[in-house]
């Protein structure tokens, strides 16, 4: 029995994509010197943390 079902994998994938997007925006902010990108980066990181927390919750519920 696999602990990571398709729903948990999908949520983890969303979180990983958000982290990658934040990383690429961080690189763009460094090269373009646009300070307002920091707010968008923070939003992506908060979304990623939410996705990871939700995936952990789903895995925990599945374990019970």
């Amino acid at each position: 029995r696999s602990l990571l079902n398709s729903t948990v994998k999908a949520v983890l994938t969303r979180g990983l994509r958000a982290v990658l997007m934040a990383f690429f925006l961080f690189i763009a902010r460094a090269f373009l010197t646009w300070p307002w990108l920091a707010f968008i980066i923070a939003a992506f990181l908060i979304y990623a943390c939410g996705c990871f927390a939700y995936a952990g919750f789903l895995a925990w519920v599945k374990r019970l």
Side-chain angles (χ1 to χ4, degrees):
R1 190 174 94 173
S2 176
L3 182 63
L4 293 177
N5 59 4
S6 62
T7 307
V8 176
K9 285 182 186 177
V11 175
L12 282 175
T13 302
R14 286 183 186 179
L16 183 61
R17 286 180 181 171
V19 168
L20 287 174
M21 185 60 120
F23 174 73
F24 291 137
L25 285 174
F26 180 77
I27 297 298
R29 182 178 178 266
F31 283 113
L32 299 175
T33 63
W34 291 346
W36 54 268
L37 276 178
F39 297 107
I40 299 172
I41 293 168
F44 272 111
L45 290 177
I46 290 170
Y47 176 74
C49 288
C51 286
F52 293 144
Y54 184 57
F57 173 74
L58 286 177
W60 179 70
V61 167
K62 186 77 171 171
R63 184 180 56 90
L64 297 177

